Structure formats: structure tokens, C-alpha cells
Amino acid sequence: MYFKRMFTGLVETMGTVTGVRKYGRSVELSIRADLGDFEVVAGGSVAVDGVCLTLEKRLDGQMFFTAVAETLGRSSFNSAVTGRRVNLERAVRVDGRLDGHIVLGHVDAVGRIVGDEDAGVSIVRTIEIPEELAPFVAEKGSIAVDGISLTVAKTGVNTVSISLIPATINKTTMSAKGVGGIVNIECDVMARYIYRMISASGSRKENLVDKMERLGF
């Protein structure tokens, strides 16, 4: 059994977009997973580059999904093309381990890679994000980038830096992206709720980041 629409941010395999068809304000995507036994039943949820999509059908080894206007407006799928490589993760199994962090597949916005720093065996990647997401991001906290669960190494006014270890680079689409690349960003869901609770209590918004950092987010 799987938890519908809940993920860990641990990419299971990559896949290739085999078709992009526009229908009004929506887009139908067909994707072929690299992993041959990447089994998902119709109606099941898959995180595709961090975007939670519902599998509509399987045909000739391909999976078919529809990305609606809301999804296109918040994610990198508004510029999806055939041949694009994507990260794939199935919804969490009830008896599975939560080794990453809770990821819902509800992308907040897109970010742009603005810097890569060689750190020996790893890469410190800096991503520019919308300023309004800053209250939801804190050093040592969690963030999902293209569906990958990562730890925040450093934050700026409108940037976040994360460390990419060899396993992440080699097993995800991060190896194919560099400065100027676009990525999907999902902030930690716990940070969202804390922000909401503090806002509802009437606290001054300019103090939210400090308060959230003291709470460990």
C-alpha cells in the first residue's frame, strides 16, 4: 500500500519525456522510466521532477500524465520538451522508510541555478529563488529541488545553497544541469505550517525567519 501524494525526496530512477501534447491550458506528458520494473497502477501518484502527477494510463512502456494550468504556472513543465530527462519517485509505501523528508509534490516555484562551487568530491550549488519563499528556508533545514531531498547549506536574501554529493549527481538529473538551469522548488511543509501559525497569531512578519531558525527550520 502507498500513501497517495506523499514522497520522501529520494529519487528511485530517472526517465525520459517521450511526448508533450497541449490540450487547452493543460499538457499531456508521456514518460518512459529507465527502471524496467517501475510499477505504478493507474490512479497512482508519481513525483516527476518533484511535481506530484497522477498516472492516467500505461501504454507500450510509457506512463501518461496531465499537468494542469496550476502546475504549469508553478513548475518547469511550462517549457517541457520531448527528450527531457526527469527524476521519478513513487508515493511512499506504508511499510517503507522515510530516509529523506516529507515531500508533497506541491511545487512552490521555479528557481534558477546561479552558481556551482567545486568542493572536492561534492558541488555546492546556489539557486536563486523568489524572495517570498525566504521565510520557509533555513540553514540545515530541508528543501526539495526537482524532487530531490536536500539539506540547505546556506541561505541568502533570495538564494539557497545546497551540497550535491556524488551519489546525487550521478543518480539524478543534477548531473545534466548547470548555471542558468531551471529547477522546481518545494519548501519544507513544516515550515509552511509554522509560518501560517505565527502569522495567525499576529506576530510581525519581519521576525518570522529568526523565529523559524530558532525552531530548527
Side-chain angles (χ1 to χ4, degrees):
M1 180 185 296
Y2 291 84
F3 284 115
K4 188 174 177 64
R5 302 183 187 281
M6 178 176 161
F7 309 91
T8 67
L10 299 184
V11 174
E12 293 184 81
T13 187
M14 287 185 280
T16 302
V17 176
T18 56
V20 179
R21 299 181 180 179
K22 293 186 178 181
Y23 294 98
R25 298 179 63 197
S26 300
V27 169
E28 180 190 71
L29 300 170
S30 56
I31 298 171
R32 187 185 302 276
D34 292 356
L35 186 65
D37 60 351
F38 190 78
E39 295 297 330
V40 186
V41 298
S45 297
V46 179
V48 182
D49 268 359
V51 179
C52 179
L53 297 175
T54 300
L55 178 66
E56 297 182 343
K57 62 181 179 181
R58 298 184 71 104
L59 183 64
D60 297 330
Q62 299 174 94
M63 299 178 291
F64 290 80
F65 307 90
T66 295
V68 297
E70 171 70 11
T71 300
L72 299 176
R74 289 180 177 268
S75 75
S76 59
F77 285 129
N78 63 354
S79 57
V81 294
T82 300
R84 169 176 165 175
R85 297 286 282 163
V86 292
N87 298 317
L88 301 173
E89 181 192 355
R90 289 170 290 190
V92 178
R93 286 182 58 91
V94 173
D95 60 351
R97 296 177 62 184
L98 186 61
D99 288 337
H101 73 282
I102 296 175
V103 178
L104 300 181
H106 301 162
V107 170
D108 291 298
V110 295
R112 183 182 300 275
I113 300 169
V114 294
D116 276 343
E117 179 185 346
D118 188 348
V121 297
S122 64
I123 295 173
V124 177
R125 174 160 289 176
T126 300
I127 302 169
E128 183 180 59
I129 62 174
E131 256 186 78
E132 59 266 26
L133 296 187
F136 309 121
V137 182
E139 291 184 17
K140 309 307 179 185
S142 296
I143 192 169
V145 180
D146 274 353
I148 307 165
S149 175
L150 295 166
T151 299
V152 177
K154 185 170 61 176
T155 61
V157 175
N158 66 331
T159 61
V160 57
S161 297
I162 44 92
S163 292
L164 300 175
I165 61 174
T168 302
I169 296 170
N170 296 330
K171 295 182 179 180
T172 73
T173 58
M174 287 297 102
S175 62
K177 293 194 174 183
V179 174
I182 299 297
V183 292
N184 293 320
I185 300 293
E186 181 185 336
C187 300
D188 191 342
V189 64
M190 295 300 294
R192 294 180 188 173
Y193 283 121
I194 291 172
Y195 179 94
R196 175 63 178 170
M197 288 188 290
I198 295 176
S199 297
S201 71
S203 298
R204 297 175 64 189
K205 290 187 177 180
E206 56 264 35
N207 294 326
L208 286 177
V209 174
D210 290 338
K211 291 181 179 179
M212 291 173 71
E213 287 180 343
R214 288 200 296 272
L215 290 170
F217 291 91

Short mmCIF file of all heavy atoms in Angstrom, two decimals, residues 14-72:
data_model
loop_
_atom_site.label_atom_id
_atom_site.label_comp_id
_atom_site.label_asym_id
_atom_site.label_seq_id
_atom_site.Cartn_x
_atom_site.Cartn_y
_atom_site.Cartn_z
N MET A 14 15.51 7.68 -13.05
CA MET A 14 15.24 8.78 -13.97
C MET A 14 14.39 8.27 -15.12
O MET A 14 14.18 7.07 -15.27
CB MET A 14 16.55 9.37 -14.50
CG MET A 14 17.30 10.20 -13.48
SD MET A 14 18.77 11.02 -14.17
CE MET A 14 19.93 9.67 -14.16
N GLY A 15 13.87 9.18 -15.90
CA GLY A 15 13.06 8.82 -17.05
C GLY A 15 13.23 9.85 -18.15
O GLY A 15 13.90 10.87 -17.95
N THR A 16 12.64 9.58 -19.28
CA THR A 16 12.73 10.49 -20.42
C THR A 16 11.33 10.87 -20.90
O THR A 16 10.47 10.01 -21.03
CB THR A 16 13.49 9.83 -21.59
OG1 THR A 16 14.79 9.45 -21.15
CG2 THR A 16 13.61 10.78 -22.77
N VAL A 17 11.11 12.16 -21.11
CA VAL A 17 9.83 12.62 -21.67
C VAL A 17 9.78 12.20 -23.13
O VAL A 17 10.63 12.59 -23.93
CB VAL A 17 9.68 14.15 -21.53
CG1 VAL A 17 8.39 14.62 -22.20
CG2 VAL A 17 9.70 14.56 -20.06
N THR A 18 8.78 11.40 -23.47
CA THR A 18 8.67 10.89 -24.84
C THR A 18 7.63 11.64 -25.67
O THR A 18 7.55 11.45 -26.88
CB THR A 18 8.33 9.40 -24.83
OG1 THR A 18 7.12 9.20 -24.07
CG2 THR A 18 9.45 8.59 -24.20
N GLY A 19 6.82 12.46 -25.00
CA GLY A 19 5.81 13.21 -25.73
C GLY A 19 5.25 14.34 -24.91
O GLY A 19 5.10 14.23 -23.69
N VAL A 20 4.94 15.45 -25.57
CA VAL A 20 4.32 16.62 -24.93
C VAL A 20 3.20 17.09 -25.83
O VAL A 20 3.44 17.51 -26.97
CB VAL A 20 5.34 17.76 -24.73
CG1 VAL A 20 4.67 18.97 -24.09
CG2 VAL A 20 6.53 17.30 -23.90
N ARG A 21 1.97 17.00 -25.33
CA ARG A 21 0.82 17.41 -26.13
C ARG A 21 -0.02 18.42 -25.36
O ARG A 21 -0.41 18.17 -24.22
CB ARG A 21 -0.06 16.21 -26.48
CG ARG A 21 0.67 15.15 -27.31
CD ARG A 21 -0.26 14.00 -27.64
NE ARG A 21 0.40 12.98 -28.44
CZ ARG A 21 -0.18 11.86 -28.84
NH1 ARG A 21 -1.45 11.63 -28.54
NH2 ARG A 21 0.49 10.98 -29.57
N LYS A 22 -0.28 19.56 -25.98
CA LYS A 22 -1.06 20.61 -25.32
C LYS A 22 -2.54 20.43 -25.59
O LYS A 22 -2.96 20.18 -26.72
CB LYS A 22 -0.60 21.99 -25.80
CG LYS A 22 0.82 22.33 -25.36
CD LYS A 22 1.19 23.76 -25.74
CE LYS A 22 2.59 24.10 -25.24
NZ LYS A 22 2.97 25.50 -25.57
N TYR A 23 -3.33 20.56 -24.52
CA TYR A 23 -4.79 20.49 -24.60
C TYR A 23 -5.35 21.69 -23.86
O TYR A 23 -5.48 21.66 -22.63
CB TYR A 23 -5.32 19.20 -23.99
CG TYR A 23 -4.92 17.95 -24.74
CD1 TYR A 23 -3.84 17.17 -24.34
CD2 TYR A 23 -5.64 17.53 -25.86
CE1 TYR A 23 -3.48 16.03 -25.02
CE2 TYR A 23 -5.27 16.39 -26.56
CZ TYR A 23 -4.20 15.63 -26.14
OH TYR A 23 -3.84 14.51 -26.82
N GLY A 24 -5.63 22.75 -24.59
CA GLY A 24 -6.12 23.96 -23.93
C GLY A 24 -5.04 24.51 -23.02
O GLY A 24 -3.93 24.79 -23.45
N ARG A 25 -5.35 24.61 -21.74
CA ARG A 25 -4.39 25.14 -20.76
C ARG A 25 -3.64 24.02 -20.05
O ARG A 25 -2.89 24.28 -19.10
CB ARG A 25 -5.11 26.02 -19.76
CG ARG A 25 -5.79 27.25 -20.38
CD ARG A 25 -6.51 28.06 -19.33
NE ARG A 25 -5.59 28.58 -18.33
CZ ARG A 25 -5.96 29.03 -17.14
NH1 ARG A 25 -7.25 29.00 -16.80
NH2 ARG A 25 -5.07 29.50 -16.28
N SER A 26 -3.84 22.79 -20.47
CA SER A 26 -3.18 21.65 -19.86
C SER A 26 -2.20 21.01 -20.84
O SER A 26 -2.23 21.29 -22.04
CB SER A 26 -4.21 20.60 -19.41
OG SER A 26 -5.10 21.14 -18.46
N VAL A 27 -1.33 20.16 -20.32
CA VAL A 27 -0.36 19.45 -21.14
C VAL A 27 -0.35 17.98 -20.75
O VAL A 27 -0.31 17.64 -19.57
CB VAL A 27 1.07 20.04 -20.95
CG1 VAL A 27 2.11 19.13 -21.59
CG2 VAL A 27 1.15 21.43 -21.55
N GLU A 28 -0.41 17.11 -21.76
CA GLU A 28 -0.26 15.68 -21.51
C GLU A 28 1.19 15.30 -21.72
O GLU A 28 1.79 15.62 -22.75
CB GLU A 28 -1.13 14.86 -22.45
CG GLU A 28 -1.00 13.35 -22.20
CD GLU A 28 -1.67 12.50 -23.27
OE1 GLU A 28 -1.13 12.46 -24.40
OE2 GLU A 28 -2.71 11.90 -22.96
N LEU A 29 1.76 14.64 -20.72
CA LEU A 29 3.14 14.20 -20.79
C LEU A 29 3.20 12.69 -20.82
O LEU A 29 2.50 12.01 -20.07
CB LEU A 29 3.92 14.68 -19.55
CG LEU A 29 4.00 16.18 -19.30
CD1 LEU A 29 4.58 16.44 -17.91
CD2 LEU A 29 4.88 16.85 -20.36
N SER A 30 4.01 12.15 -21.71
CA SER A 30 4.29 10.72 -21.69
C SER A 30 5.75 10.54 -21.32
O SER A 30 6.62 11.27 -21.81
CB SER A 30 4.00 10.07 -23.05
OG SER A 30 4.72 10.69 -24.08
N ILE A 31 6.01 9.60 -20.42
CA ILE A 31 7.35 9.42 -19.87
C ILE A 31 7.69 7.94 -19.82
O ILE A 31 6.87 7.11 -19.44
CB ILE A 31 7.43 10.01 -18.43
CG1 ILE A 31 7.16 11.52 -18.47
CG2 ILE A 31 8.78 9.71 -17.79
CD1 ILE A 31 7.00 12.16 -17.11
N ARG A 32 8.92 7.63 -20.19
CA ARG A 32 9.41 6.26 -20.10
C ARG A 32 10.47 6.20 -19.00
O ARG A 32 11.49 6.90 -19.08
CB ARG A 32 10.00 5.79 -21.42
CG ARG A 32 10.38 4.29 -21.45
CD ARG A 32 11.07 3.92 -22.76
NE ARG A 32 10.24 4.22 -23.91
CZ ARG A 32 9.28 3.41 -24.38
NH1 ARG A 32 9.05 2.26 -23.76
NH2 ARG A 32 8.56 3.75 -25.45
N ALA A 33 10.23 5.38 -17.98
CA ALA A 33 11.17 5.25 -16.87
C ALA A 33 12.36 4.39 -17.27
O ALA A 33 12.22 3.43 -18.02
CB ALA A 33 10.48 4.64 -15.65
N ASP A 34 13.55 4.74 -16.77
CA ASP A 34 14.75 3.94 -17.03
C ASP A 34 14.63 2.58 -16.35
O ASP A 34 15.09 1.57 -16.89
CB ASP A 34 15.99 4.65 -16.49
CG ASP A 34 16.33 5.91 -17.27
OD1 ASP A 34 15.65 6.20 -18.27
OD2 ASP A 34 17.28 6.61 -16.87
N LEU A 35 14.02 2.57 -15.16
CA LEU A 35 13.86 1.35 -14.39
C LEU A 35 12.74 0.51 -14.98
O LEU A 35 11.59 0.94 -15.02
CB LEU A 35 13.56 1.68 -12.92
CG LEU A 35 13.50 0.54 -11.92
CD1 LEU A 35 14.87 -0.11 -11.78
CD2 LEU A 35 13.02 1.04 -10.56
N GLY A 36 13.06 -0.68 -15.44
CA GLY A 36 12.07 -1.51 -16.12
C GLY A 36 10.89 -1.92 -15.25
O GLY A 36 9.78 -2.07 -15.75
N ASP A 37 11.13 -2.10 -13.95
CA ASP A 37 10.04 -2.54 -13.08
C ASP A 37 9.50 -1.40 -12.22
O ASP A 37 9.10 -1.59 -11.08
CB ASP A 37 10.50 -3.70 -12.18
CG ASP A 37 11.67 -3.31 -11.27
OD1 ASP A 37 12.22 -2.21 -11.48
OD2 ASP A 37 12.01 -4.11 -10.38
N PHE A 38 9.49 -0.21 -12.80
CA PHE A 38 8.92 0.95 -12.11
C PHE A 38 7.40 0.87 -12.23
O PHE A 38 6.77 1.49 -13.09
CB PHE A 38 9.44 2.24 -12.74
CG PHE A 38 9.12 3.51 -11.97
CD1 PHE A 38 9.84 3.85 -10.85
CD2 PHE A 38 8.10 4.35 -12.39
CE1 PHE A 38 9.56 5.02 -10.14
CE2 PHE A 38 7.80 5.51 -11.69
CZ PHE A 38 8.54 5.84 -10.56
N GLU A 39 6.80 0.05 -11.37
CA GLU A 39 5.37 -0.25 -11.48
C GLU A 39 4.52 0.75 -10.72
O GLU A 39 4.75 1.01 -9.53
CB GLU A 39 5.10 -1.67 -10.96
CG GLU A 39 5.74 -2.77 -11.80
CD GLU A 39 5.20 -2.81 -13.22
OE1 GLU A 39 4.03 -2.43 -13.42
OE2 GLU A 39 5.95 -3.19 -14.14
N VAL A 40 3.54 1.29 -11.42
CA VAL A 40 2.56 2.20 -10.82
C VAL A 40 1.21 1.88 -11.43
O VAL A 40 1.10 1.74 -12.65
CB VAL A 40 2.89 3.68 -11.11
CG1 VAL A 40 1.94 4.60 -10.36
CG2 VAL A 40 4.34 4.00 -10.76
N VAL A 41 0.19 1.76 -10.59
CA VAL A 41 -1.15 1.46 -11.11
C VAL A 41 -1.82 2.76 -11.54
O VAL A 41 -1.49 3.85 -11.05
CB VAL A 41 -2.02 0.75 -10.06
CG1 VAL A 41 -1.40 -0.57 -9.66
CG2 VAL A 41 -2.22 1.63 -8.82
N ALA A 42 -2.74 2.68 -12.47
CA ALA A 42 -3.49 3.86 -12.91
C ALA A 42 -4.18 4.49 -11.70
O ALA A 42 -4.77 3.81 -10.87
CB ALA A 42 -4.53 3.46 -13.95
N GLY A 43 -4.05 5.79 -11.58
CA GLY A 43 -4.59 6.50 -10.43
C GLY A 43 -3.56 6.72 -9.35
O GLY A 43 -3.78 7.48 -8.41
N GLY A 44 -2.39 6.07 -9.48
CA GLY A 44 -1.33 6.23 -8.50
C GLY A 44 -0.57 7.54 -8.72
O GLY A 44 -0.67 8.16 -9.78
N SER A 45 0.18 7.94 -7.71
CA SER A 45 0.91 9.20 -7.78
C SER A 45 2.39 8.99 -8.01
O SER A 45 3.00 8.08 -7.43
CB SER A 45 0.71 9.99 -6.47
OG SER A 45 -0.65 10.32 -6.28
N VAL A 46 2.96 9.84 -8.84
CA VAL A 46 4.39 9.82 -9.12
C VAL A 46 4.92 11.25 -9.04
O VAL A 46 4.30 12.18 -9.56
CB VAL A 46 4.68 9.25 -10.53
CG1 VAL A 46 6.19 9.26 -10.81
CG2 VAL A 46 4.13 7.83 -10.67
N ALA A 47 6.07 11.42 -8.36
CA ALA A 47 6.72 12.72 -8.35
C ALA A 47 7.64 12.78 -9.57
O ALA A 47 8.57 11.99 -9.69
CB ALA A 47 7.52 12.91 -7.07
N VAL A 48 7.34 13.69 -10.47
CA VAL A 48 8.12 13.87 -11.69
C VAL A 48 8.86 15.20 -11.57
O VAL A 48 8.23 16.26 -11.61
CB VAL A 48 7.22 13.86 -12.94
CG1 VAL A 48 8.06 14.01 -14.20
CG2 VAL A 48 6.37 12.60 -13.00
N ASP A 49 10.18 15.14 -11.37
CA ASP A 49 10.95 16.35 -11.07
C ASP A 49 10.31 17.11 -9.91
O ASP A 49 10.28 18.35 -9.90
CB ASP A 49 11.08 17.25 -12.31
CG ASP A 49 12.34 16.94 -13.11
OD1 ASP A 49 13.11 16.05 -12.70
OD2 ASP A 49 12.54 17.58 -14.16
N GLY A 50 9.78 16.35 -8.95
CA GLY A 50 9.21 16.96 -7.76
C GLY A 50 7.76 17.37 -7.86
O GLY A 50 7.18 17.83 -6.88
N VAL A 51 7.16 17.20 -9.03
CA VAL A 51 5.75 17.56 -9.22
C VAL A 51 4.88 16.31 -9.08
O VAL A 51 5.10 15.32 -9.79
CB VAL A 51 5.52 18.19 -10.61
CG1 VAL A 51 4.05 18.53 -10.81
CG2 VAL A 51 6.38 19.43 -10.78
N CYS A 52 3.95 16.32 -8.18
CA CYS A 52 3.05 15.19 -7.99
C CYS A 52 2.05 15.12 -9.15
O CYS A 52 1.25 16.03 -9.35
CB CYS A 52 2.30 15.31 -6.67
SG CYS A 52 1.14 13.96 -6.37
N LEU A 53 2.13 14.04 -9.92
CA LEU A 53 1.22 13.82 -11.03
C LEU A 53 0.53 12.48 -10.88
O LEU A 53 1.11 11.53 -10.33
CB LEU A 53 1.98 13.86 -12.36
CG LEU A 53 2.67 15.19 -12.72
CD1 LEU A 53 3.48 15.03 -14.00
CD2 LEU A 53 1.64 16.31 -12.87
N THR A 54 -0.68 12.38 -11.36
CA THR A 54 -1.46 11.15 -11.28
C THR A 54 -1.32 10.37 -12.58
O THR A 54 -1.54 10.91 -13.67
CB THR A 54 -2.94 11.45 -11.02
OG1 THR A 54 -3.07 12.15 -9.77
CG2 THR A 54 -3.76 10.16 -10.95
N LEU A 55 -0.95 9.10 -12.46
CA LEU A 55 -0.82 8.25 -13.65
C LEU A 55 -2.20 7.97 -14.22
O LEU A 55 -3.08 7.44 -13.54
CB LEU A 55 -0.13 6.93 -13.28
CG LEU A 55 0.02 5.94 -14.43
CD1 LEU A 55 0.95 6.48 -15.50
CD2 LEU A 55 0.51 4.60 -13.92
N GLU A 56 -2.40 8.33 -15.49
CA GLU A 56 -3.69 8.12 -16.13
C GLU A 56 -3.75 6.79 -16.86
O GLU A 56 -4.78 6.12 -16.86
CB GLU A 56 -3.99 9.28 -17.08
CG GLU A 56 -4.10 10.61 -16.35
CD GLU A 56 -4.44 11.76 -17.27
OE1 GLU A 56 -4.27 11.61 -18.50
OE2 GLU A 56 -4.87 12.80 -16.77
N LYS A 57 -2.63 6.41 -17.50
CA LYS A 57 -2.61 5.13 -18.20
C LYS A 57 -1.17 4.77 -18.52
O LYS A 57 -0.25 5.59 -18.45
CB LYS A 57 -3.41 5.20 -19.51
CG LYS A 57 -2.86 6.20 -20.53
CD LYS A 57 -3.71 6.25 -21.79
CE LYS A 57 -3.17 7.28 -22.78
NZ LYS A 57 -3.99 7.36 -24.01
N ARG A 58 -0.96 3.48 -18.87
CA ARG A 58 0.32 2.99 -19.34
C ARG A 58 0.11 2.40 -20.73
O ARG A 58 -0.88 1.72 -20.97
CB ARG A 58 0.88 1.92 -18.40
CG ARG A 58 1.15 2.38 -16.99
CD ARG A 58 1.80 1.26 -16.18
NE ARG A 58 3.17 1.04 -16.62
CZ ARG A 58 4.24 1.45 -15.95
NH1 ARG A 58 4.09 2.09 -14.81
NH2 ARG A 58 5.45 1.21 -16.41
N LEU A 59 1.04 2.66 -21.61
CA LEU A 59 0.91 2.13 -22.97
C LEU A 59 2.30 1.98 -23.57
O LEU A 59 3.08 2.93 -23.60
CB LEU A 59 0.07 3.10 -23.82
CG LEU A 59 -0.22 2.66 -25.27
CD1 LEU A 59 -1.06 1.39 -25.29
CD2 LEU A 59 -0.94 3.78 -26.01
N ASP A 60 2.62 0.77 -24.02
CA ASP A 60 3.90 0.49 -24.65
C ASP A 60 5.09 0.94 -23.80
O ASP A 60 6.06 1.54 -24.29
CB ASP A 60 3.98 1.18 -26.02
CG ASP A 60 2.94 0.65 -26.99
OD1 ASP A 60 2.57 -0.54 -26.86
OD2 ASP A 60 2.48 1.42 -27.85
N GLY A 61 4.99 0.67 -22.50
CA GLY A 61 6.08 1.01 -21.60
C GLY A 61 6.17 2.47 -21.22
O GLY A 61 7.13 2.88 -20.56
N GLN A 62 5.19 3.26 -21.63
CA GLN A 62 5.18 4.68 -21.30
C GLN A 62 4.08 4.99 -20.28
O GLN A 62 3.04 4.33 -20.25
CB GLN A 62 4.94 5.52 -22.55
CG GLN A 62 6.00 5.33 -23.62
CD GLN A 62 5.62 6.07 -24.89
OE1 GLN A 62 6.01 7.20 -25.10
NE2 GLN A 62 4.85 5.41 -25.74
N MET A 63 4.33 5.99 -19.46
CA MET A 63 3.35 6.47 -18.49
C MET A 63 2.80 7.81 -18.98
O MET A 63 3.55 8.65 -19.48
CB MET A 63 4.00 6.65 -17.11
CG MET A 63 4.57 5.37 -16.53
SD MET A 63 5.38 5.64 -14.92
CE MET A 63 6.84 6.59 -15.42
N PHE A 64 1.50 7.99 -18.81
CA PHE A 64 0.85 9.21 -19.30
C PHE A 64 0.27 10.00 -18.12
O PHE A 64 -0.44 9.44 -17.27
CB PHE A 64 -0.25 8.87 -20.30
CG PHE A 64 0.28 8.35 -21.60
CD1 PHE A 64 0.68 7.03 -21.73
CD2 PHE A 64 0.39 9.18 -22.71
CE1 PHE A 64 1.16 6.54 -22.94
CE2 PHE A 64 0.88 8.71 -23.92
CZ PHE A 64 1.27 7.38 -24.03
N PHE A 65 0.58 11.29 -18.10
CA PHE A 65 0.13 12.20 -17.05
C PHE A 65 -0.41 13.48 -17.68
O PHE A 65 -0.05 13.82 -18.80
CB PHE A 65 1.29 12.59 -16.13
CG PHE A 65 2.08 11.46 -15.55
CD1 PHE A 65 3.19 10.96 -16.22
CD2 PHE A 65 1.73 10.90 -14.32
CE1 PHE A 65 3.94 9.92 -15.68
CE2 PHE A 65 2.47 9.87 -13.78
CZ PHE A 65 3.58 9.37 -14.45
N THR A 66 -1.24 14.20 -16.92
CA THR A 66 -1.70 15.52 -17.35
C THR A 66 -1.26 16.56 -16.33
O THR A 66 -1.51 16.41 -15.13
CB THR A 66 -3.23 15.56 -17.50
OG1 THR A 66 -3.63 14.68 -18.55
CG2 THR A 66 -3.69 16.98 -17.85
N ALA A 67 -0.59 17.60 -16.82
CA ALA A 67 -0.20 18.73 -15.98
C ALA A 67 -1.17 19.87 -16.27
O ALA A 67 -1.24 20.35 -17.40
CB ALA A 67 1.24 19.15 -16.28
N VAL A 68 -1.93 20.27 -15.25
CA VAL A 68 -2.95 21.31 -15.43
C VAL A 68 -2.33 22.70 -15.32
O VAL A 68 -1.13 22.85 -15.03
CB VAL A 68 -4.08 21.15 -14.40
CG1 VAL A 68 -4.79 19.81 -14.60
CG2 VAL A 68 -3.54 21.26 -12.98
N ALA A 69 -3.13 23.72 -15.56
CA ALA A 69 -2.65 25.10 -15.60
C ALA A 69 -1.93 25.51 -14.33
O ALA A 69 -0.88 26.18 -14.39
CB ALA A 69 -3.82 26.04 -15.88
N GLU A 70 -2.44 25.14 -13.16
CA GLU A 70 -1.80 25.49 -11.89
C GLU A 70 -0.39 24.91 -11.81
O GLU A 70 0.55 25.58 -11.40
CB GLU A 70 -2.65 24.96 -10.72
CG GLU A 70 -2.00 25.06 -9.35
CD GLU A 70 -1.86 26.47 -8.82
OE1 GLU A 70 -2.44 27.40 -9.42
OE2 GLU A 70 -1.16 26.65 -7.81
N THR A 71 -0.26 23.66 -12.23
CA THR A 71 1.05 23.01 -12.23
C THR A 71 2.00 23.69 -13.20
O THR A 71 3.17 23.94 -12.88
CB THR A 71 0.91 21.52 -12.61
OG1 THR A 71 0.06 20.87 -11.66
CG2 THR A 71 2.26 20.83 -12.64
N LEU A 72 1.51 23.99 -14.39
CA LEU A 72 2.35 24.64 -15.40
C LEU A 72 2.81 26.02 -14.94
O LEU A 72 3.92 26.45 -15.24
CB LEU A 72 1.58 24.75 -16.72
CG LEU A 72 1.16 23.42 -17.36
CD1 LEU A 72 0.33 23.69 -18.62
CD2 LEU A 72 2.38 22.56 -17.70
#
